[in-house]
Amino acid sequence: MNVQSIIRNLIVETPSIPGNLAKVATAIGTIGGDIGDIKTMKIGTLSTVRDISCTCADIAQLNQIVDAINNIDDNIHVRSVSDDVMKAHEGGKIHMTSRIDVRSLSDLRRIYTPGVANVCQEIQRAPEKAHYYTSIGNTVAIITDGTAILGLGNIGPVAGMPVMEGKAVLFDQFAGISGIPILLDTSNPDEVVETVKHIAKGFGGILLEDIGSPHCFEIEERLKAELPIPVMHDDQHGTAVVTLAAVISACRYAGVELKDAVVGQIGLGAAGLAICRMLMAYGVKEVCGTDPQESALVRLRSFGGTVVGSVEETMAKCDIVIATTGVSGLIQPSMVREGQIILALSNPYPEITPEDAIAAGASYAADGRLVNNVLGFPGIFRGALNANVKSITYSMLLAAANAIVDATRNGDLVPHPLDPNVHKSVAEAVERVALIEMAHID
């Protein structure tokens, strides 16, 4: 759902007079820049210096923004432009550390030889104890072949490593899970599956990340069938969980009964197809989809979805429309029906802006800036690992979506991704359902 953009930090000096920051913000917005954080670096008698984070489409737009700010008047200047994103990645974002200090020979003997031999023998006698005496039960492999990295496409696994490191950071920060990036130099489903199966004993779960369509479907399905640990493709199910939560919230605000509505999905890649399946699992009676790829339409039909011929037909037929195409401006205001709910989730440039959708008659509209997978995958895996389940089921995913909805403040579409309570709530909901399902199996 992401398309390529750049983030830069503008160091801007303005006179210490009210209203000048508004002028700078207007200049940025007029050119089409998206302002993020604003930090005041210095407040002086005559001037104020601020660090303004700005998302731009490309370098050309960034240069236009800098020129626009410098041309406001003679007293407002862009002093420098920095790339804080690149700085944050210098040396990588993750580092494995020990949980135990080794300060004495006694410590060394206890955590390594000869003491560790007793632990090895105990695990040899009872392999299930590895989850108690090692980090295996709290470690997830983050596996990619680099074929669908964000909106960049097939750039290869090494170029995708910063994304995998980012996932590992989020696992650690929000769920206390050790995420280990694994970069594969093959996209052949047989080779991927065999490789993952051979390394799986060292992990409590498998997160498939940024693996392209359609081979991602076969890889996930086979690994789920052949491994006794949770496997989840985040681009499919993580996205679907958070999208379902957003749709439920939007329906509440618009007064629409989701299960009785006709829902249309524009774009049937990995995320789009998973969203369709998640909506059907929730109980939506009619889910429609459109995509230019015939293979995607065949897959939609295979699990009971309705194929619609075009974007225009989808907009005409459906009460709720979700778009995950990455094509900015795909939905024209003239296509919008009165009272529709529209979630155009391509980020940062949606298929239609919420403002244009509302002006054209939509009862509720949002873009993808808040619909972030980070609301889902850390808590989903935390709950699954806590319950020591062998797979992540749709019941667990639905529980995660409902937990996100319950954690959403009135007026918001979804919770803030940095809210620690939402990750805890998702983990608890998933674990609760997992334990119930395990009890029924027993």
Side-chain angles (χ1 to χ4, degrees):
M1 293 188 295
N2 300 291
V3 294
Q4 188 174 4
S5 59
I6 62 171
I7 301 174
R8 294 292 186 270
N9 285 65
L10 311 179
I11 309 303
V12 181
E13 183 176 10
T14 64
S16 296
I17 300 172
N20 282 294
L21 177 59
K23 294 178 182 178
V24 172
T26 299
I28 293 172
T30 299
I31 303 299
D34 188 10
I35 295 174
D37 292 338
I38 300 176
K39 299 177 183 177
T40 301
M41 303 175 66
K42 186 191 78 171
I43 299 178
T45 303
L46 298 178
S47 68
T48 298
V49 179
R50 295 180 176 88
D51 181 342
I52 302 174
S53 175
C54 181
T55 300
C56 312
D58 49 36
I59 292 295
Q61 188 182 62
L62 172 67
N63 292 334
Q64 291 176 348
I65 289 171
V66 171
D67 290 342
I69 295 172
N70 287 332
N71 290 331
I72 293 172
D73 63 46
D74 293 339
N75 297 313
I76 297 178
H77 307 282
V78 177
R79 292 303 184 191
S80 67
V81 178
S82 64
D83 191 340
D84 285 7
V85 172
M86 296 299 288
K87 289 180 182 178
H89 285 76
E90 291 177 1
K93 302 190 291 290
I94 57 176
H95 175 71
M96 183 173 288
T97 60
S98 168
R99 296 178 59 222
I100 298 176
D101 291 331
V102 181
R103 298 183 180 277
S104 67
L105 186 58
S106 177
D107 291 338
L108 181 60
R109 290 169 61 86
R110 184 167 58 252
I111 67 102
Y112 196 50
T113 184
V116 72
N118 292 333
V119 184
C120 294
Q121 290 172 329
E122 184 64 24
I123 295 172
Q124 183 184 25
R125 285 190 293 268
E128 70 277 3
K129 291 187 178 181
H131 281 259
Y132 184 77
Y133 288 117
T134 75
S135 62
I136 289 174
N138 195 53
T139 304
V140 172
I142 305 169
I143 294 175
T144 189
D145 66 351
T147 54
I149 303 295
L150 300 179
L152 304 174
N154 185 1
I155 62 173
V158 176
M161 180 61 167
V163 179
M164 306 310 121
E165 288 189 348
K167 289 285 186 180
V169 171
L170 299 174
F171 262 135
D172 176 55
Q173 293 289 311
F174 297 134
I177 292 171
S178 297
I180 308 296
I182 304 292
L183 309 183
L184 302 182
D185 65 353
T186 178
S187 297
N188 181 290
D190 291 336
E191 295 177 349
V192 172
V193 170
E194 283 305 305
T195 300
V196 175
K197 286 170 63 178
H198 283 306
I199 66 172
K201 287 188 179 296
F203 301 97
I206 304 293
L207 179 73
L208 303 174
E209 180 66 24
D210 289 349
I211 298 175
S213 174
H215 64 286
C216 64
F217 302 114
E218 179 184 349
I219 289 169
E220 187 196 38
E221 289 165 4
R222 289 174 59 180
L223 287 174
K224 288 175 69 174
E226 298 177 35
L227 288 179
I229 57 175
V231 176
M232 187 180 88
H233 185 201
D234 191 43
D235 303 276
Q236 293 185 62
H237 310 297
T239 301
V241 164
V242 181
T243 301
L244 174 59
V247 173
I248 293 171
S249 294
C251 286
R252 289 181 178 179
Y253 300 139
V256 173
E257 177 53 54
L258 174 55
K259 293 182 179 180
D260 295 331
V262 179
V263 182
Q265 170 66 43
I266 301 175
L268 297 173
L273 284 165
I275 290 168
C276 290
R277 296 190 72 168
M278 190 67 65
L279 288 163
M280 295 170 72
Y282 181 75
V284 176
K285 296 173 183 175
E286 185 172 5
V287 177
C288 306
T290 187
D291 192 279
Q293 297 294 325
E294 180 60 30
S295 60
L297 302 180
V298 170
R299 189 169 287 270
L300 177 64
R301 290 190 189 98
S302 72
F303 55 78
T306 301
V307 170
V308 178
S310 65
V311 173
E312 291 81 1
E313 289 181 46
T314 304
M315 296 297 297
K317 176 180 177 66
C318 299
D319 307 307
I320 301 166
V321 176
I322 304 163
T324 56
T325 65
V327 181
S328 175
L330 178 67
I331 299 174
Q332 299 299 312
S334 59
M335 300 178 188
V336 178
R337 279 175 39 208
E338 189 75 26
Q340 269 182 324
I341 295 173
I342 299 176
L343 300 183
L345 300 182
S346 293
N347 187 38
Y349 305 109
E351 288 81 0
I352 184 171
T353 66
E355 296 79 10
D356 287 346
I358 293 294
S363 62
Y364 190 92
D367 57 25
R369 285 176 288 185
L370 292 177
V371 182
N372 194 315
N373 290 20
V374 71
L375 287 166
F377 75 85
I380 291 170
F381 270 92
R382 178 74 278 160
L385 294 179
N386 286 352
N388 195 24
V389 293
K390 295 182 178 181
S391 63
I392 295 172
T393 66
Y394 270 101
S395 295
M396 298 176 202
L397 297 175
L398 292 173
N402 284 317
I404 293 171
V405 173
D406 291 342
T408 303
R409 293 185 298 181
N410 188 39
D412 290 343
L413 186 66
V414 291
H416 194 287
L418 299 184
D419 179 0
N421 293 321
V422 66
H423 304 289
K424 181 181 178 182
S425 297
V426 169
E428 290 175 348
V430 170
E431 182 179 3
R432 186 162 50 248
V433 170
L435 292 174
I436 292 172
E437 290 186 338
M438 290 172 65
H440 288 164
I441 293 174
D442 294 340

